[in-house]
């Protein structure tokens, strides 16, 4: 009996080690899946922002053709779009690991959204624009895009929050510590200054 006790103890230790190893593997794989979900949603946000950027040249060209339309208004939109374009792909790609880069990207996009909102508000003073089918089509497309941006940003925040919660809770936090910045916390989209939601465009 005395000789069997060390054997039993060895099997118990081995069993505990196996359980810990299996749990560690399962946790790592779960974190990888959640990280991929955040990155996929980040790509969705970028897709909608790009769709908005692609609409702007036609929108600016349309309002520029309106008699006496405020030049400074569409110039502000063009400049804001240019600022977004100046953010390097590397910065955008690394934004999920760099809160400063993420904030820079959001500020540029929010500035563009504000400029577009102002342009469309000013356009209401120009009947020829309101009677233009091309302009009305662009309005509708932009409205849909702004709504999609708000939806995708909210979805991004949800998956990012789920990831951040998982990596911050025990015992997962001990696994995260072994991989350095591999599973760094994700930044969130914040409401624009003076608002409680992403920029919205409202049409009459």
């Amino acid at each position: 009996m005395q000789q069997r006790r060390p054997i039993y103890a060895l099997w118990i230790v081995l069993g505990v080690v196996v359980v810990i190893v299996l749990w560690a593997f399962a946790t790592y794989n779960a974190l990888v899946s959640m990280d991929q979900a955040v990155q996929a949603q980040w790509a969705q946000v970028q897709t909608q922002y790009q769709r908005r950027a692609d609409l702007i040249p036609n929108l600016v060209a349309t309002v520029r053709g309106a008699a006496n339309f405020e030049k400074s208004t569409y110039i502000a939109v063009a400049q804001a779009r240019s600022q977004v374009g100046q953010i390097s792909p590397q910065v955008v790609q690394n934004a999920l690991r760099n809160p400063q880069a993420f904030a820079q990207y959001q500020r540029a996009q929010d500035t563009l959204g504000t400029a577009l909102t102002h342009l469309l508000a000013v356009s209401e003073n120009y009947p020829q624009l309101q009677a233009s089918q091309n302009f009305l089509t662009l309005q509708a497309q932009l409205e849909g895009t702004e709504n999609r941006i708000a939806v995708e940003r909210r979805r991004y925040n949800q998956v990012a929050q789920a990831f951040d919660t998982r990596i911050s809770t025990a015992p997962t936090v001990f696994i995260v510590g072994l991989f350095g910045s591999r599973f760094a916390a994700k930044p969130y989209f914040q409401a624009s200054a003076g608002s409680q939601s992403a920029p919205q465009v409202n049409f009459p």
Side-chain angles (χ1 to χ4, degrees):
M1 295 294 295
Q2 293 180 350
Q3 292 179 347
R4 291 183 179 180
R5 289 180 182 175
I7 295 177
Y8 290 148
L10 177 61
W11 280 110
I12 291 173
V13 170
L14 288 175
V16 171
V17 170
V18 169
V19 169
I20 292 175
V21 170
L22 290 176
W23 168 78
F25 273 108
T27 301
Y28 178 85
N29 290 336
L31 290 174
V32 170
S33 295
M34 296 179 75
D35 183 63
Q36 291 295 320
V38 175
Q39 293 185 45
Q41 190 54 47
W42 173 237
Q44 287 294 101
V45 172
Q46 293 178 66
T47 296
Q48 296 308 321
Y49 276 136
Q50 185 59 52
R51 186 175 188 273
R52 180 174 71 177
D54 292 342
L55 289 172
I56 291 173
N58 288 336
L59 182 66
V60 170
T62 301
V63 300
R64 187 184 299 173
N68 301 319
F69 192 87
E70 298 178 18
K71 183 177 180 180
S72 61
T73 302
Y74 63 73
I75 287 178
V77 171
Q79 289 177 341
R81 182 177 185 269
S82 176
Q83 289 176 0
V84 170
Q86 290 173 4
I87 299 176
S88 70
Q90 291 76 17
V91 169
V92 177
Q93 183 178 2
N94 295 324
L96 297 187
R97 299 178 183 274
N98 186 333
Q100 290 76 26
F102 188 93
Q104 177 189 0
Y105 183 79
Q106 181 183 351
R107 281 194 303 271
Q109 293 291 356
D110 286 352
T111 298
L112 178 55
T114 299
L116 281 169
T117 301
H118 181 65
L119 181 146
L120 292 170
V122 170
S123 72
E124 295 177 8
N125 300 323
Y126 294 83
Q128 66 269 41
L129 284 176
Q130 299 303 316
S132 168
Q133 186 58 49
N134 183 45
F135 181 76
L136 294 178
T137 299
L138 289 169
Q139 269 191 332
Q141 291 177 345
L142 186 60
E143 179 183 34
T145 300
E146 290 291 346
N147 288 336
R148 291 188 187 97
I149 288 172
V151 169
E152 299 301 346
R153 281 174 46 144
R154 183 169 63 251
R155 289 175 177 170
Y156 166 85
N157 278 354
Q158 289 172 346
V159 294
Q161 182 182 33
F163 178 86
D164 288 353
T165 300
R166 180 66 182 271
I167 66 172
S168 301
T169 55
T172 305
V173 67
F174 301 114
I175 293 293
V176 172
L178 299 176
F179 295 95
S181 62
R182 171 67 177 84
F183 297 116
K186 309 300 183 187
Y188 302 113
F189 281 104
Q190 303 294 331
S192 304
S195 70
Q196 297 300 319
S197 61
Q200 296 289 319
V201 177
N202 297 313
F203 303 109

